[in-house]
Amino acid sequence: MNLLKKLLVTTVLIAKAFTGYAQSIELTLSPTAQTVELGQTANFTIKAKGIDGFNGQIFLKISASELPNAKNELSNDLIFPPYTETSTLSITPMAGAEEKTYSLTVDAFNGSLSVSKNLTIQVSKAQCAWEPTTLKVEFIDYKGEFWGGDLPNIFKSNDPTTKYALPNYEYRNRFIDADNNFWFATNKGIVKFDGKSAMVLNADNNNLPFNDINFVIVDSNKTMWIANKKNLYKRIKDNWELVTLNLDENLGLNDVKLDGQNNVWVVTNDYINFNQERAPSCLLKIKNNNIINFNKTNSCLPNSKLSEINFDKNNAVWIGVYLEDESSPPSIKNSILKFDGNTWEFWCNKDAQPYNHFVMDNDCKLQLKDNNSNYEGTYGFAVEIDGNNIKWLRTVGPGGTNLGLSRFNDIAWKNFDARNSPIQEYYISKIIVSPFSKKIFIQPYGSALTYEDCSKPLNTEALFKNSFNNVSIYHTGDNQFHIQSQQNIDGLVLMNMNGTTLQSDMAKSNSLQVDYSAYASGLYLIKVISNNQVVTKKLTIE
């Protein structure tokens, strides 16, 4: 009986070998469906292999005629035996694609052998949408109210019929105090506006040391500080006192700000000869009567031009860096700097080489942190920070392309431009944000837009940390898990509790994102392969 079975099996195999009937290609897609926002990328893993005697190369092709407004990329369109290599299909729906479900076809073939499988993409509206507005916003007050108009004529956005005419001066900078008073630095003194009426403070009526003012702030002790390009004064009772900064004669004051702990910060640049540095820029911190001068000789501050300064909810300094000198590492050019009082941390644009995201040690030597910085190129613009502690940055890509914004939530960057938003290919001249509001306003050379950040609050605490290879998993608040490792991540697999693979990524990187927007709430397993070891963790999708 066993001999008869063996003879029958042998006969069938010989028949298959001669006829070629059994030779075929096996095609596997993972996942087979995803939901993705405009401008964001959905990644699919493609596996193909020959079966039943076929051992030739396999060609891959994508048919995406249903989704014309999309960028489709195959990491590999030809797979050779022994079929251990996979291919990644990346699909990015662009602005103009409709919000609906699209079907795409993946073909694997060689000569007459062919197999096709379909995958689906649900193109969705961005979680938080950009909305056009006819309002020209000038600032956002302490209560989060938008004020529009064209200085010196302004009005509250919820009451546009009531207009307030401020003095017809040149308005340069503004400050909002804890009592919701607006203080404007102008070429003819200070204009104070309490929301109803305005008053002018100048050298004649208030003993100001000068009228041509660039900056004004009022600290929590009600002390007023004013500055022009060269000098900083503070008011002590009824007298104005010059603050001795001991600066190089070529340095001018580029920004003056008050942080959350009532310290005054001053940014300086060589304003006399902008393109050829004659004096190194410095950052001054004035605490009580003590002045700390951070510069390239006593700190990790690079010898570069510095933008305006802003502070996050942890009182860390954020500042744009640009036009470095020849002694600075190449990546510092056009970077973003964060200083928390101890560590100098830099984010470069996504194409920066050889560094992308790094910190400075005590000796100011660069230490690579990871390669998760993904914002488009920039020219050292100021970092704006909103009421959700989200950082916003104007961006300019290579050759003046991809003009738009980058949004950073301390874990991941998200870029907005003409590919995924109503922002057209125009430089953004104005970003209005406020620590009192989650809503922002931008003014490109085109239609003005507002954006309300409705994402979940960021949890900066790692959901999981593994010590042997420093793998950390974060929830970014944008329907994504963010995985970081000090070693390269060799592979990543997301599975349901039945062990079915939903997503996989074999990219060699130390920073990966997993988009789970297409999956139902519940428990899932994530497997991370790094440093020849495997970490498997149970995660909850809400």
Side-chain angles (χ1 to χ4, degrees), residues 124-156:
S124 67
K125 185 178 180 181
Q127 183 184 11
C128 308
W130 291 97
E131 299 291 343
T133 179
T134 57
L135 179 67
K136 183 177 180 181
V137 174
E138 286 292 342
F139 49 86
I140 304 174
D141 69 19
Y142 195 85
K143 299 177 182 178
E145 297 283 353
F146 278 40
W147 286 78
D150 192 0
L151 283 168
N153 301 302
I154 59 173
F155 57 86
K156 193 177 292 189

Side-chain angles (χ1 to χ4, degrees), residues 58 193 215 253 283 296 313 355 430 444 466 489 508:
I58 299 174
F193 177 61
F215 306 98
L253 309 189
L283 185 62
K296 73 170 187 176
K313 289 190 175 180
Y355 305 108
K430 182 187 293 185
N466 181 277
I489 298 172
K508 300 288 185 179

Side-chain angles (χ1 to χ4, degrees), residues 259-261 310-318 338-340 384-391 410 434-438 457-458 460:
D259 70 13
Q261 297 176 354
N310 279 303
F311 310 94
D312 64 21
K313 289 190 175 180
N314 297 316
N315 214 44
V317 170
W318 291 77
K338 174 188 175 184
F339 177 53
D340 64 5
E384 308 291 347
I385 304 174
D386 70 16
N388 254 2
N389 212 31
I390 300 296
K391 288 76 185 176
D410 293 328
S434 168
F436 320 118
S437 174
K438 296 189 296 182
L458 171 68
T460 55

Side-chain angles (χ1 to χ4, degrees), residues 38-299:
L38 290 176
Q40 302 304 301
T41 300
N43 292 315
F44 298 85
T45 299
I46 301 175
K47 296 180 181 179
K49 66 178 182 178
I51 58 175
D52 293 328
F54 176 68
N55 197 39
Q57 61 190 16
I58 299 174
F59 298 88
L60 299 176
K61 184 178 72 173
I62 308 302
S63 299
S65 57
E66 279 197 28
L67 186 54
N69 294 322
K71 181 180 179 182
N72 307 318
E73 292 181 344
L74 266 176
S75 63
N76 188 9
D77 60 2
L78 187 60
I79 297 179
F80 296 92
Y83 310 120
T84 55
E85 193 173 2
T86 63
S87 181
T88 299
L89 170 61
S90 301
I91 302 177
T92 308
M94 309 299 273
E98 297 182 34
E99 296 173 26
K100 65 177 186 179
T101 301
Y102 295 88
S103 178
L104 290 80
T105 302
V106 179
D107 298 307
F109 59 94
N110 183 314
S112 60
L113 293 180
S114 178
V115 62
S116 300
K117 285 196 173 181
N118 292 332
L119 55 86
T120 58
I121 289 185
Q122 172 69 48
V123 177
S124 67
K125 185 178 180 181
Q127 183 184 11
C128 308
W130 291 97
E131 299 291 343
T133 179
T134 57
L135 179 67
K136 183 177 180 181
V137 174
E138 286 292 342
F139 49 86
I140 304 174
D141 69 19
Y142 195 85
K143 299 177 182 178
E145 297 283 353
F146 278 40
W147 286 78
D150 192 0
L151 283 168
N153 301 302
I154 59 173
F155 57 86
K156 193 177 292 189
S157 60
N158 61 5
D159 183 17
T161 59
T162 304
K163 293 181 169 50
Y164 302 89
L166 304 184
N168 190 19
Y169 299 159
E170 178 186 319
Y171 288 78
R172 293 168 177 169
N173 275 284
R174 69 186 65 88
F175 177 80
I176 304 174
D177 67 21
D179 298 320
N180 211 30
N181 295 310
F182 307 102
W183 300 81
F184 297 96
T186 81
N187 64 326
K188 295 184 179 181
I190 300 167
V191 175
K192 178 185 177 183
F193 177 61
D194 62 5
K196 296 180 181 179
S197 60
M199 64 179 295
V200 177
L201 309 178
N202 54 38
D204 294 331
N205 65 18
N206 210 256
N207 198 29
L208 268 64
F210 45 79
N211 284 332
D212 196 12
I213 297 173
N214 289 70
F215 306 98
V216 57
I217 59 176
V218 180
D219 65 25
S220 61
N221 298 320
K222 307 297 184 183
T223 299
M224 185 184 300
W225 303 67
I226 62 172
N228 56 16
K229 288 184 177 181
K230 293 293 292 181
N231 296 307
L232 175 69
Y233 282 80
K234 67 176 180 179
R235 186 169 182 172
I236 306 296
K237 296 183 179 179
D238 293 328
N239 297 314
W240 290 93
E241 178 181 298
L242 176 66
V243 180
T244 304
L245 301 177
N246 292 320
L247 296 175
D248 184 285
E249 62 180 4
N250 293 313
L251 287 177
L253 309 189
N254 191 53
D255 195 19
V256 179
K257 290 277 177 64
L258 185 71
D259 70 13
Q261 297 176 354
N262 210 38
N263 303 310
V264 175
W265 291 77
V266 179
V267 179
T268 71
N269 280 328
D270 182 350
Y271 74 95
I272 295 177
N273 193 338
F274 184 82
N275 291 318
Q276 294 182 351
E277 197 84 38
R278 295 196 296 181
S281 300
C282 62
L283 185 62
L284 306 177
K285 178 182 179 180
I286 305 173
K287 183 176 182 179
N288 298 323
N289 292 319
N290 298 317
I291 300 177
I292 304 172
N293 185 326
F294 299 99
N295 55 59
K296 73 170 187 176
T297 61
N298 67 358
S299 73

